[in-house]
């Protein structure tokens, strides 16, 4: 059964189409922002799991000298209680890591590759990292110890900045949605003021009139949100396709969490709820001023 409407306002008139169009654009922007933030967060989580508690030791120089220093570094590392595992990375693995960046296998074969030692820590505290690094450099002066947390912390700072920008875009979208509903509702109230006065005279309450405007705004916003999500679907597919083109040695494959998909699917309902509340407050405030 259709909801009764005593106001001469077309449910899908020009004003309704305008609101739906604006909402569609805002939902699209919010989807892009939320996807960017979720992808970066998932990527950082993947990196954090893979490198937490690990160190990489690099030893360059003449093969014989580098080999002796590598043996000394491994021997020193394995004596420490903070080290769970220490082993040399196979040269084939080093070449595989360079392929995505250099491409030409012949060029890689001609390069004087350093010896890499992969160290897994049993304790990943800053003190443990410092003690292991000191022991290795003391045993092998030509060794360079790379603590992955240093560059990861910089990436985390950058990702947090992107997350803040994404949240700001979503907040701006919510603000723009609220303002659009308020202005559209006020314009409709001004246009139909005589009808509203008649409804007041015959006993209509403010809540009755406010509900009609609120439900109408919610329907327009719900419709616009659905359009925005449909338009966003190809963009989301394109983002996923572009991400799959990047070699996993450069960027690992990540899966967006279930919370992201639930949040994305609930955007229309959240937008409609915001529109309903904004229209209710706008109509009730305007009606009090008209009395």
């Amino acid at each position: 059964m259709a909801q009764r409407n005593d106001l001469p306002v077309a449910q899908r008139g020009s004003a309704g189409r305008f609101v739906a169009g604006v909402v569609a654009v805002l939902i699209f922007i919010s989807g892009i922002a939320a996807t960017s933030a979720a992808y970066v967060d998932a990527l950082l989580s993947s990196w954090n799991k893979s490198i937490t508690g690990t160190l990489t030791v690099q030893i360059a120089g003449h093969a014989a000298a580098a080999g002796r220093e590598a043996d000394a570094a491994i021997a020193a590392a394995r004596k420490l209680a903070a080290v769970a595992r220490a082993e040399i990375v196979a040269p084939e693995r080093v070449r595989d890591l360079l392929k995505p960046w250099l491409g030409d296998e012949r060029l890689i074969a001609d390069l004087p590759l350093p010896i890499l030692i992969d160290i897994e820590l049993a304790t990943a505290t800053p003190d443990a990292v410092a003690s292991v690094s000191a022991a290795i450099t003391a045993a092998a002066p030509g060794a360079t110890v790379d603590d992955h947390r240093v560059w990861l912390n910089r990436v985390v700072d950058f990702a947090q900045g992107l997350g803040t920008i994404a949240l700001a875009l979503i907040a701006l979208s919510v603000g723009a949605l609220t303002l659009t509903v308020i202005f559209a509702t006020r314009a409709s109230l001004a246009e139909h003021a005589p009808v509203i006065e008649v409804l007041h005279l015959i006993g209509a309450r403010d809540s009755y009139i406010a509900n009609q405007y609120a439900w109408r705004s919610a329907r327009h916003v719900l419709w616009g949100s659905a359009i925005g999500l449909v338009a966003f679907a190809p963009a989301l597919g394109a983002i996923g396709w572009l991400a799959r083109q990047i070699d996993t040695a450069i960027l690992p494959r990540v899966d967006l969490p279930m919370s992201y998909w639930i949040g994305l699917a609930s955007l229309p309902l959240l937008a409609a709820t915001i529109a309903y509340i904004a229209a209710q407050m706008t109509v009730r405030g305007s009606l009090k001023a008209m009395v």
Side-chain angles (χ1 to χ4, degrees):
M1 181 178 178
Q3 184 182 6
R4 179 179 172 182
N5 192 342
D6 296 318
L7 299 174
V9 181
Q11 292 299 317
R12 293 187 181 179
S14 58
R17 288 192 294 270
F18 169 76
V19 172
V22 172
V23 171
V25 174
L26 295 176
I27 291 296
F28 186 91
I29 294 174
S30 298
I32 293 291
T35 302
S36 301
Y39 180 80
V40 171
D41 186 68
L43 187 61
L44 285 177
S45 178
S46 175
W47 274 337
N48 190 52
K49 289 179 181 178
S50 62
I51 71 172
T52 296
T54 62
L55 297 174
T56 299
V57 179
Q58 176 180 308
I59 302 176
H62 189 270
R68 288 192 296 269
E69 288 211 339
D71 293 337
I74 289 180
R78 288 175 176 174
K79 293 178 182 179
L80 301 175
V83 175
R85 179 180 57 82
E87 59 185 24
I88 294 178
V89 179
E92 295 78 10
R93 175 57 179 161
V94 177
R95 295 189 184 96
D96 290 339
L97 293 174
L98 291 174
K99 282 181 182 179
W101 304 97
L102 299 180
D104 192 342
E105 294 186 7
R106 292 174 299 178
L107 177 61
I108 298 175
D110 294 335
L111 289 176
L113 298 178
I115 296 177
L116 297 183
I117 302 175
D118 186 26
I119 295 179
E120 180 180 341
L121 299 178
T123 305
T125 62
D127 291 339
V129 172
S131 64
V132 172
S133 299
I136 290 175
T137 53
T144 301
V145 182
D146 181 16
D147 180 7
H148 306 294
R149 299 297 307 182
V150 175
W151 67 263
L152 183 61
N153 288 336
R154 296 170 184 167
V155 176
V156 168
D157 293 339
F158 175 70
Q160 288 176 344
L162 289 180
T164 302
I165 294 174
L167 289 176
L169 285 175
I170 294 174
L172 288 173
S173 298
V174 171
L177 167 64
T178 304
L179 290 175
T180 300
V181 172
I182 290 174
F183 289 142
T185 302
R186 285 181 175 176
S188 182
L189 284 171
E191 181 181 359
H192 302 289
V195 177
I196 294 173
E197 290 179 359
V198 171
L199 290 175
H200 266 146
L201 290 175
I202 63 177
R205 296 182 177 180
D206 289 356
S207 59
Y208 175 76
I209 299 173
N211 283 336
Q212 293 199 31
Y213 271 102
W215 283 115
R216 183 171 64 90
S217 296
R219 284 193 294 270
H220 290 157
V221 170
L222 195 61
W223 176 245
S225 299
I227 296 174
L229 280 184
V230 170
F232 175 66
L236 181 60
I239 293 173
W241 181 83
L242 290 173
R244 288 191 295 272
Q245 305 311 304
I246 302 176
D247 196 291
T248 54
I250 300 175
L251 286 179
R253 298 279 187 267
V254 296
D255 295 322
L256 295 176
M258 183 58 65
S259 58
Y260 162 78
W261 297 106
I262 294 175
L264 191 66
S266 63
L267 278 179
L269 182 59
L270 292 175
T273 302
I274 293 172
Y276 181 89
I277 295 173
Q280 278 275 1
M281 296 178 64
T282 301
V283 173
R284 289 175 184 270
S286 298
L287 291 178
K288 286 181 180 180
M290 292 172 60
V291 175

